[in-house]
Amino acid sequence: MAKLQTPHAVRGTQDMFGEGQERFAHVIDTFDRVRRLYGFKGVEVPVIEPTAVFARSLGETTDVVSKEMYSFDDRGGDSVTLRPEFTAGIARAYLTNGWQQHAPMKLATAGPLFRYERPQKGRYRQFHQLDAEVIGAAEPIADVELLGFADQLLKELGIASGVVLTLNTLGDGDSRDAWRAALIAHYEAHRSALSEDSIDRLGRNPLRILDSKDPRDIAINDTAPGIDDYLSDAARDFFAAVTTGLDAAGIAWTRNSRLVRGLDYYRHTAFEFITNRLGAQGTVIGGGRYDGLIETLGGPATPAVGWAAGIERLAMLIDAPAGDAPDVVLVPLGEAAENRAIALIAALRRAGIAADMGYKGNMKKRLQRADASGARYAVILGEEELARGEAALKDLRDGSQRSVALSALAAAIIAA
RNA sequence: GCGAUCGUAGCUCAGUUGGUUAGAGCGCCGGUUUGUGGUACCGGAGGUCGCGGGUUCAAGACCCGUCGAUCGCCCCA
């Protein structure tokens, strides 16, 4: 009989349990709490969308679309794609559900995304993001509020000191196009001195040459035209309003005029929250304004801003959260006591007390488990105690123990 | 997609220039203690050395391939 081979997990996916899962959950819990503080409504959208949703909105030449999407034909012959990002799918939902009536909409969601990439630390094929969007608002105050949300999230996660907000503007459509043309002219003039990668970028995504790490490119970037010289008055005013708003809100930021973003849809504000604690994967939250996106999906001109945060990356940066521990563990001795304990534990749980009880084991075993669970108390139910209508309430931290009437047990635990 | 390093118990690792039945710590299970955990002591289970092929009298050690992880590039959260 041949041995059965256990299938392994798909490359770039992960199984989470224990501390890893607790970190992950804590990031989402914190996000969900802060999101309410800022008036962002929860939204749920499909993990799978028609391929066109992403292909059209992200830009055909971007890496995400050209080589990283999990796309396949379903049984009906339609091309569908596992979402590689949130924004395009949310924009699609906005249009197909007629959510224009709710504009401006402040939306938040979290969940898995899929990108066929080479896995590294903080980088997976199935990864998870927090996402926040403001759709249907052209005002710079929306940018400020959105950034404030991100900033407070990081603070409440306790990692703000290791992360900095870097900010830039890409200008409006006209500004961006003019700057882009000037950059192409500049790089074409120095084409022979560029790195191979950047010559390739010149054709696909010239803005990306700006943050190249290749020394040959860095020299040419020094003399490259800056966005500030191509900003229209409106674009300049917009950016100024965002930065003064950030200052007013007490949100620290630094300008990085070289910051560009990979996806084609960004306009005006672009930003990244960056840390140096994750190696090459330093971006922890990234986003910007995408006023042109909804039109590319066949909708009306609709201004919008948003960001996404890598849950795995945030989870690696935070301190280990306190794990789940019951308030109390019941330790029945004998069959009769176990039956009483079943009734008692139900009553404790209904009273809002986190109570647990092993399925089997002698007293020693049960106390060991109670201790390992991190519970504050053990309730020992033996014949002697039950005969008196009492139980022994044992404090597992200092070992002290006292008798409490069964009817007063819940109150005693809550009071402690 | 490219380059590099690594893959030995659940975890962290040791394992001489290839040479008997592959080890340690932690963890897990049991016992010392048939009504008292955390400490201590004693004992036990658990590995076809990632997988496949090759070289050799002999491979955990060497070679090739493959899968996976990690680091960098690319890209991104």
Side-chain angles (χ1 to χ4, degrees), chain A residues 16-33:
Chain A
M16 286 184 263
F17 177 74
E19 186 183 323
Q21 186 278 334
E22 286 157 13
R23 287 171 172 271
F24 190 91
H26 184 251
V27 170
I28 293 175
D29 290 347
T30 304
F31 172 72
D32 211 45
R33 184 163 48 74

Side-chain angles (χ1 to χ4, degrees), chain A residues 303-385:
Chain A
V305 229
W307 53 249
I311 299 179
E312 286 88 351
R313 293 182 185 178
L314 293 172
M316 285 188 280
L317 293 174
I318 63 175
D319 293 334
D324 295 334
D327 299 315
V328 58
V329 172
L330 303 207
V331 180
L333 305 176
E335 217 170 294
E338 192 169 47
N339 279 322
R340 296 292 298 274
I342 290 170
L344 187 59
I345 195 171
L348 291 175
R349 286 167 169 168
R350 286 174 190 136
I353 294 166
D356 210 350
M357 181 169 81
Y359 299 136
K360 63 176 183 180
N362 59 24
M363 182 180 200
K364 177 186 172 66
K365 194 85 276 174
R366 286 170 181 272
L367 277 173
Q368 272 178 3
R369 293 250 164 73
D371 188 52
S373 77
R376 176 71 195 276
Y377 294 104
V379 170
I380 298 163
L381 299 157
E383 289 173 24
E384 297 160 25
E385 287 89 344

